[in-house]
Amino acid sequence: MDGISLAKQDGPKGAPSTLRIYGNDAYQAKFRRSRAIDAPRARYTGFKNETLTLKSGTIRREGALALTCDILFERDVAVALRDGTTIYADIFRPTGDKKVPAIVAWSPYGKQVGGPALDDIPHRSGVPLSATSGLEKFEGPDPAYWVAQGYAILHPDSRGAYASEGNATFWGRQLAEDGYDFIEWAAKQPWSSGKLALSGNSWLAISQWYIAAERPPHLTAIAPWEGFTDPFRDMVNRGGIPNPAFTEAVVTTCMAGNTFVEDMPQMSIDHQTISEYWEDKVARLDRISVPAYVVSSYSNPIHTRGTFTGFRSIRSKDKWLRIHNTFEWPDYYNPEHVQDLKKFFDYYLKGEKNDWQTTPRVRLSILDPGHADTVNRPVEEWPVPGYPVEKFYLHADRTLSNKHTTTGSTVSYEAETENSLITFTHVFEKKTEVVGYMNLHLWVEAIGSDDMELLAYAEKRDKDGNVFPLPSATGEVPSTVSAVGLLRVSHRALDPELSTELEPYLTHKKEQLLSPGQIVRVEVGLWPTALRFHPGEQLTLTVRAAPKTSTKYDKGFGVSIVPVPARGGTFKPDEKVEIVELGGGMDSQPEFVNAQRVETPASRNKGTHVFHLGGEYESVLLVPLAEVS
């Protein structure tokens, strides 16, 4: 390693206690020690400030895509942020003196390889090794393709990531201001045309909402591919239920650094109602006006709602939404979609007079398990007009019906058993499409507890009530397409100004615990979907006690062995070079990393969950649908 010393396994001392948020330069927040960058699963390639020419025809690893042009690779370039913190970036750009636009991939996951990689996911989530060069950041654009198209690709290690100085943070003011500084630094480089864009999915998409809201003068366009906009409502406390498992997995298996990392898992437990901390984490979408190409799906468990919200809420005059029918990673690297994104960037970053402006503003997918999906249907807007809301009442015989019964009844389950669920079914007589958001109104009572944590999901089943098995995003287990909603009943209070018929907006400002015998009305908003039903097929609604995901959850990022040339850069396919194998076993984490994990929050599901139906209790599912030919 040249110039940078690795963190010791026992980690740095003296955790910081403050975080810059909007309106407060020294907000009290929790931090924890970062996983050391020499931990095997961090897959760090080391620090070396150098410039290499990667020759056309060379490869990064056996089986990967070969380069089709020479690439100038500037490694570990120092970038000073406004507070004096230095971060390091890798730059891939065309050789020669021509000024070029640049695409930024912003994340803390590593500039080269890093903690997470597609290799860690079964079947690489449908992205063949030969489809990418191996120079790409996880979830980011591939330099091998984009440099050949006349773009620079910039891979910063954000604050606190790997060798970059400072303490790593999640989204909010600090990340936004750092992104602003980096973009304006890049615009001043001698190779830069002064036009920059952001691209990538997941963390790389989420970051775009925050950075764009800071309005860097040289940010010309964004392309967020599946990225939430409100961590509290979309992920860590969705429906008011604390669920730090995913952020634990990110902190412990995806990130590494020499200092500290913001402890969002702990903050989600310490701050279970909205605070200044969570307000800082809501993307300021109304400040975004640059052209945007937004990509979403109905099946992402953390990004779906936020991506649609982002598209709807940004002020950009020029914005497009494409809703796909697969998963984020194969969709991002699909050659057809890469070409589509190139057309968008060529128009705005290069000024090419192509036909991008004729692209439909919204391209819709209709999912049709058991049949053929409809993809890229052009529509005018989202939500899609032409799908009137229909009421499906919940009945004690476990059916969903358009008729409300005047006779009151109840159904219930024991909240701590394996069968703590109830399913209601509607059979369609005609071909029907359900497109948009659904809202479930329930009248609930808890016996033996002062709260309830509910999970509700609507899905399509076949004529015999069987689910349609679909491959999961990781290829691990079969799943089915579901529109899902969560609610901690004590968080049932709604914002009347922001709530709509189909989209309840929870305030999360305080808890309202239940009293014995108290029956309350709640709304559970289900995230959007688009499903086609054929005659005889079923719409099923399941309501159950929400399960807990353990914070010991480990997705296995950093485990697969990724080979890279020891000298850095690339090599000729027939060349014998020294190879370094990066990665480590599941048990190779430093001991302190697992010791810092938060405990899985205790469930509030105890006793009996009772649901009141009929009569004065209008328990109903609101569904946007239309019969189709």
Side-chain angles (χ1 to χ4, degrees):
M1 306 295 169
D2 296 347
I4 294 292
S5 61
L6 294 176
K8 301 293 185 182
Q9 283 283 48
D10 59 358
K13 308 298 182 184
S17 60
T18 62
L19 175 72
R20 283 167 60 83
I21 67 173
Y22 290 110
N24 189 338
D25 290 342
Y27 182 81
Q28 294 294 311
K30 297 284 181 67
F31 285 78
R32 67 168 73 171
R33 293 152 61 193
S34 294
R35 178 176 58 168
I37 60 180
D38 60 351
R41 289 175 62 178
R43 287 193 294 219
Y44 186 41
T45 56
F47 183 92
K48 193 173 185 181
N49 179 234
E50 64 178 350
T51 299
L52 303 172
T53 299
L54 311 180
K55 303 299 292 184
S56 178
T58 61
I59 56 175
R60 176 67 166 177
R61 58 187 286 196
E62 294 290 345
L65 183 70
L67 305 189
T68 59
C69 71
D70 288 356
I71 295 177
L72 197 65
F73 173 32
E74 297 178 82
R75 181 177 174 185
D76 286 313
V77 176
V79 180
L81 304 177
R82 69 184 67 180
D83 64 352
T85 297
T86 298
I87 66 172
Y88 295 94
D90 288 349
I91 299 172
F92 302 86
R93 58 186 179 89
T95 56
D97 298 327
K98 183 179 180 181
K99 294 181 181 292
V100 296
I103 303 170
V104 179
W106 189 272
S107 78
Y109 292 158
K111 305 188 304 301
Q112 301 181 52
V113 191
L118 285 173
D119 297 72
D120 298 317
I121 300 163
H123 315 296
R124 286 176 53 92
S125 192
V127 183
L129 178 60
S130 60
T132 59
S133 68
L135 295 173
E136 72 280 358
K137 241 188 182 188
F138 180 60
E139 303 180 320
D142 187 353
Y145 173 82
W146 288 99
V147 173
Q149 310 307 316
Y151 290 87
I153 295 295
L154 311 185
H155 286 180
D157 270 340
S158 57
R159 177 183 296 262
Y162 290 83
S164 289
E165 297 174 356
N167 299 305
T169 66
F170 280 76
W171 310 277
R173 176 186 177 184
Q174 187 67 74
L175 180 149
E177 291 179 348
D178 290 351
Y180 177 107
D181 294 349
F182 183 81
I183 285 171
E184 292 308 299
W185 169 86
K188 296 174 184 176
Q189 300 311 298
W191 49 261
S192 175
S193 70
K195 293 185 179 295
L196 286 98
L198 291 158
S199 180
N201 65 269
S202 195
W203 188 299
L204 288 75
I206 302 164
S207 300
Q208 296 181 51
W209 307 119
Y210 296 86
I211 296 171
E214 282 294 308
R215 299 174 176 170
H218 290 90
L219 180 62
T220 307
I222 60 174
W225 228 270
E226 304 244 28
F228 62 64
T229 57
D230 184 339
F232 186 99
R233 291 180 171 85
D234 294 343
M235 181 180 61
V236 291
N237 292 73
R238 183 175 166 186
I241 304 173
N243 182 20
F246 184 80
T247 44
E248 267 296 350
V250 170
V251 170
T252 56
T253 69
C254 296
M255 301 173 74
N258 285 323
T259 52
F260 298 89
V261 57
E262 180 184 341
D263 197 346
M264 184 175 277
Q266 186 63 54
M267 295 298 284
S268 71
I269 294 173
D270 293 349
H271 295 252
Q272 295 188 28
T273 55
I274 293 294
S275 62
E276 290 177 276
Y277 176 80
W278 293 119
E279 289 172 348
D280 180 71
K281 303 300 184 187
V282 180
R284 303 190 296 171
L285 299 169
D286 62 349
R287 290 177 50 86
I288 298 175
S289 58
V290 294
Y293 177 5
V294 181
V295 177
S296 189
S297 72
Y298 312 113
S299 56
N300 197 297
I302 61 174
H303 295 310
T304 291
R305 173 191 173 273
T307 314
F308 282 107
T309 298
F311 171 76
R312 295 167 68 183
S313 302
I314 61 176
R315 299 293 181 88
S316 305
K317 176 176 63 71
D318 294 342
K319 61 181 180 179
W320 285 264
L321 173 66
R322 182 173 61 80
I323 308 164
H324 66 84
N325 66 330
T326 58
F327 309 115
E328 54 189 308
W329 299 310
D331 185 83
Y332 185 74
Y333 294 108
N334 181 308
E336 179 182 345
H337 303 151
V338 174
Q339 289 289 329
D340 204 44
L341 182 60
K342 176 183 179 296
K343 187 185 295 185
F344 170 74
F345 281 154
D346 285 349
Y347 185 87
Y348 286 104
L349 274 71
K350 291 185 174 182
E352 291 189 5
K353 302 303 180 184
N354 55 33
D355 61 352
W356 174 257
Q357 286 286 337
T358 65
T359 303
R361 289 304 178 109
V362 178
R363 285 173 281 178
L364 183 70
S365 284
I366 304 290
L367 308 183
D368 196 352
H371 306 271
D373 295 348
T374 296
V375 180
N376 288 335
R377 176 193 289 179
V379 294
E380 292 299 315
E381 58 185 312
W382 177 272
V384 183
Y387 292 87
V389 176
E390 188 159 338
K391 291 184 175 182
F392 289 93
Y393 296 94
L394 283 59
H395 294 281
D397 63 358
R398 312 300 172 91
T399 61
L400 292 171
S401 166
N402 300 121
K403 295 181 179 180
H404 176 60
T405 179
T406 58
T407 304
S409 60
T410 63
V411 293
S412 64
Y413 56 71
E414 297 304 311
E416 299 176 271
T417 67
E418 292 184 3
N419 296 317
S420 54
L421 59 84
I422 302 171
T423 296
F424 303 86
T425 301
H426 176 80
V427 179
F428 286 99
E429 296 179 357
K430 297 182 179 180
K431 192 174 180 181
T432 303
E433 290 180 353
V434 173
V435 179
Y437 303 79
M438 288 180 268
N439 191 7
L440 175 60
H441 297 189
L442 293 172
W443 288 88
V444 300
E445 177 187 4
I447 299 175
S449 178
D450 59 5
D451 210 346
M452 306 166 70
E453 293 177 343
L454 301 177
L455 167 65
Y457 52 95
E459 61 191 8
K460 172 182 171 177
R461 296 188 182 181
D462 69 15
K463 296 178 180 181
D464 298 317
N466 301 310
V467 299
F468 289 94
L470 300 171
S472 73
T474 62
E476 294 167 337
V477 293
S479 62
T480 191
V481 179
S482 301
V484 179
L486 287 159
L487 179 68
R488 177 181 271 184
V489 168
S490 61
H491 281 240
R492 62 188 176 276
L494 301 176
D495 185 318
E497 294 184 1
L498 297 178
S499 296
T500 65
E501 182 182 23
L502 292 176
E503 297 176 78
Y505 191 89
L506 302 171
T507 64
H508 296 296
K509 290 182 178 179
K510 63 179 181 179
E511 289 192 339
Q512 297 173 292
L513 296 174
L514 298 171
S515 302
Q518 184 181 12
I519 302 169
V520 298
R521 179 182 179 276
V522 300
E523 294 187 26
V524 186
L526 275 57
W527 282 9
T529 193
L531 286 168
R532 182 181 297 120
F533 295 83
H534 298 262
E537 292 179 337
Q538 302 176 5
L539 168 66
T540 65
L541 169 71
T542 300
V543 182
R544 63 168 299 174
K548 291 291 183 185
T549 302
S550 171
T551 53
K552 302 297 189 290
Y553 166 72
D554 187 332
K555 201 169 183 60
F557 283 125
V559 170
S560 292
I561 300 301
V562 178
V564 297
R567 71 186 185 196
T570 55
F571 57 94
K572 296 178 181 178
D574 57 352
E575 186 179 359
K576 300 298 183 182
V577 297
E578 181 184 355
I579 295 294
V580 175
E581 294 186 335
L582 303 177
M586 292 287 284
D587 59 352
S588 66
Q589 293 279 52
E591 185 177 342
F592 76 85
V593 171
N594 286 326
Q596 293 180 129
R597 288 178 181 265
V598 299
E599 293 296 324
T600 306
S603 173
R604 292 191 178 179
N605 287 327
K606 303 182 187 308
T608 305
H609 289 178
V610 182
F611 302 91
H612 293 260
L613 317 172
E616 63 182 304
Y617 301 113
E618 190 176 276
S619 290
V620 62
L621 178 66
L622 304 182
V623 182
L625 59 78
E627 293 180 359
V628 294
S629 57

